Amino acid sequence: MSIWFRISEAIAALASGESLAEVFRRLRTPPEQSAGFAIAVIALGAKMAKADGNVTRNEVRAFREIFHIPKGQEGNAAQVFNMARQDVAGFDLYAKKIFKMLKSKPSVLYDLLEGLFHIALADGSYQTEEDEFLQAVAEIFKIHDRDFSILRARFVPDQMPDPYT
């Protein structure tokens, strides 16, 4: 059974009213290979795109550049993305699920945060709401403020790097 088949099953369960927690419990496999992980990453990326109020084509394109979806599964991924991009609410639940799955792999969490920065900047600007979203995700991922500042300085053009970090 492919991960994408499991994602489509999970979407159907969520649409029928099953709770997010129930869906994640049913989908237990190694974190990066689980449907739950894929759903959480897609949803977090969609909510990042929505953080400034508008989801642009460039943000969707940026998501696709970072998170590779296998051919034939774009529809399932798009369905999850479109459901999640309605609003930013609940982003913290997805971030907490991802952290719980990957807390022993901080470099993967850091890479994921980098991907979220890429999405945030895809529309050509960096808004306060996007910064607050990313800071909240970094806090959930247990990424230190200093490391977040370094990351922000790498991605956001008008951010001055701190020479002490």
Side-chain angles (χ1 to χ4, degrees):
M1 180 183 320
S2 82
I3 188 172
W4 298 102
F5 178 77
R6 296 180 77 199
I7 288 174
S8 63
E9 283 185 330
I11 292 168
L14 289 169
S16 71
E18 196 170 328
S19 77
L20 184 62
E22 291 168 336
V23 170
F24 276 110
R25 250 190 313 282
R26 245 186 328 116
L27 300 173
R28 300 222 185 236
T29 55
E32 298 93 326
Q33 298 171 8
S34 73
F37 175 76
I39 290 170
V41 168
I42 293 167
L44 193 60
K47 290 183 180 298
M48 175 70 262
K50 183 67 173 180
D52 66 357
N54 298 311
V55 178
T56 67
R57 287 185 179 169
N58 287 341
E59 289 168 326
V60 173
R61 190 175 305 117
F63 176 85
R64 288 181 179 156
E65 289 171 2
I66 296 167
F67 305 108
H68 301 284
I69 310 298
K71 290 218 183 278
Q73 299 303 324
E74 295 94 347
N76 291 331
Q79 193 173 5
V80 172
F81 191 92
N82 289 332
M83 283 178 19
R85 77 178 191 167
Q86 299 304 313
D87 61 31
V88 180
F91 81 91
D92 55 327
L93 298 174
Y94 291 107
K96 287 174 185 174
K97 288 289 183 186
I98 291 168
F99 177 74
K100 188 175 179 183
M101 290 182 219
L102 296 174
K103 62 184 165 191
S104 66
K105 299 179 179 184
S107 64
V108 177
L109 293 168
Y110 195 87
D111 290 345
L112 180 54
L113 192 61
E114 285 183 341
L116 295 175
F117 265 101
H118 183 67
I119 294 168
L121 290 158
D123 61 3
S125 66
Y126 187 69
Q127 304 297 323
T128 302
E129 298 86 0
E130 292 168 320
D131 189 62
E132 291 168 357
F133 181 100
L134 289 167
Q135 283 183 337
V137 171
E139 187 175 310
I140 291 167
F141 286 179
K142 306 270 190 253
I143 294 173
H144 300 289
D145 290 340
R146 186 185 119 256
D147 293 332
F148 180 80
S149 296
I150 292 169
L151 193 57
R152 181 174 44 207
R154 276 188 30 220
F155 279 91
V156 182
D158 61 347
Q159 293 289 308
M160 292 298 295
D162 180 352
Y164 295 103
T165 58

